[in-house]
Amino acid sequence: YVCLSHSHRDHAGGLSRLMEFCHQACILSHSASLRESFSKYKTEDIQDNETVLHDLRLILIPGHAPDCAAVLDTRSNTLLTGDCLQVYGIYGSGKWGTNITMQSAHRKALQKLRTYPVETLIASHDYHPYGYIAEGKAAVEQYYTGCAEAVDAVWKAVQEHPDMTDAALAEWYTGTTGLPETGAHVFAAARRELTES
C-alpha cells in the first residue's frame, strides 16, 4: 500500500514518480479527485477505522483538508499524522502558521483521537512549540491540546476584532503573537464557522 495523509502537493506530489517503482501497490486515499487522477493504478477510499495489513488502523481526521487521514500502528500505538495535526505553525519558518480551515471538524477529530491508546505521535513538520514527535501519553495529550489551542487563538481573534478584515487579522495576529504567519484564509474559515454556529 501507499497511504496518503492528504492530497496536498507537498505530501502527494511525488506519487506519480513513486508509482513508477511501486506500480503494483494500492493507493489508499480519502481524496476522490486523487483516486480519479491515479485510476490506472489500484486505488481504495480510506474508510474510517479500517485496518490494513492486520495492524495498521486508518483514521479520518479532517481539519487541515477534507481528506486528512492518520495511520495508527496498533503494535506500537504510534500515530502517523502527516500534516493533519498542526499546532501554531512550522517552527523557525516565520510562516506556515496553523492552517486549519475546517476548525469544527478538526476539534471533533482531536476528540476522536483521544479515544485511541496513542503512545507516540509523529507529524510531518516541526510544529511550534511541540516539534514533530510526541512520546508518551502526556506528551501526546499536550500535542492534542496545543492543536486545539491554535484553533482557539484564531477564533478568539475573529471574535475580539469583528470589524477587521481577514487580511488585517492575519497581519495583526502575526505581529502581536510572534507566532508563524497564518493566512487570511484561516481567519475567513473561522469567521464562516462562527457566523454559521
Side-chain angles (χ1 to χ4, degrees):
Y1 293 101
V2 175
C3 184
L4 298 172
S5 62
H6 61 302
S7 56
H8 288 174
R9 187 171 155 224
D10 61 325
H11 292 264
L15 186 58
S16 295
R17 185 78 171 124
L18 179 64
M19 293 309 291
E20 290 176 18
F21 297 96
C22 305
H23 57 274
Q24 297 298 324
C26 175
I27 299 168
L28 298 173
S29 172
H30 195 53
S31 166
S33 61
L34 189 140
R35 292 192 313 275
E36 185 177 318
S37 296
F38 286 87
S39 60
K40 72 177 184 178
Y41 301 104
K42 183 178 178 185
T43 65
E44 289 181 17
D45 187 10
I46 292 175
Q47 302 301 312
D48 197 25
N49 279 310
E50 172 184 9
T51 299
V52 295
L53 300 175
H54 306 291
D55 300 299
L56 303 178
R57 180 172 288 173
L58 309 177
I59 306 167
L60 297 179
I61 51 171
H64 174 54
D67 62 330
C68 286
V71 178
L72 176 65
D73 183 336
T74 58
R75 295 163 297 185
S76 62
N77 290 325
T78 299
L79 184 71
L80 305 172
T81 67
D83 201 16
C84 305
L85 293 187
Q86 303 184 356
V87 194
Y88 285 100
I90 300 173
Y91 188 78
S93 69
K95 57 180 182 176
W96 307 115
T98 188
N99 191 15
I100 302 298
T101 55
M102 301 171 63
Q103 288 114 348
S104 293
H106 186 62
R107 290 168 192 272
K108 289 177 185 172
L110 291 170
Q111 286 303 113
K112 178 167 67 172
L113 287 176
R114 284 182 162 107
T115 68
Y116 294 95
V118 177
E119 296 284 346
T120 303
L121 183 153
I122 301 174
S124 61
H125 298 289
D126 187 2
Y127 279 108
H128 178 84
Y130 300 125
Y132 65 90
I133 189 166
E135 295 183 276
K137 288 185 178 181
V140 169
E141 179 57 32
Q142 184 179 45
Y143 206 99
Y144 295 155
T145 300
C147 290
E149 287 173 353
V151 169
D152 289 344
V154 170
W155 278 29
K156 183 178 178 184
V158 170
Q159 290 171 317
E160 291 183 352
H161 305 281
D163 297 329
M164 291 177 75
T165 66
D166 298 325
L169 262 177
E171 187 176 326
W172 171 85
Y173 175 89
T174 303
T176 59
T177 62
L179 295 168
E181 180 181 347
T182 298
H185 67 290
V186 174
F187 293 92
R191 194 183 305 277
R192 275 192 307 274
E193 288 202 13
L194 285 165
T195 301
E196 291 167 3
S197 64

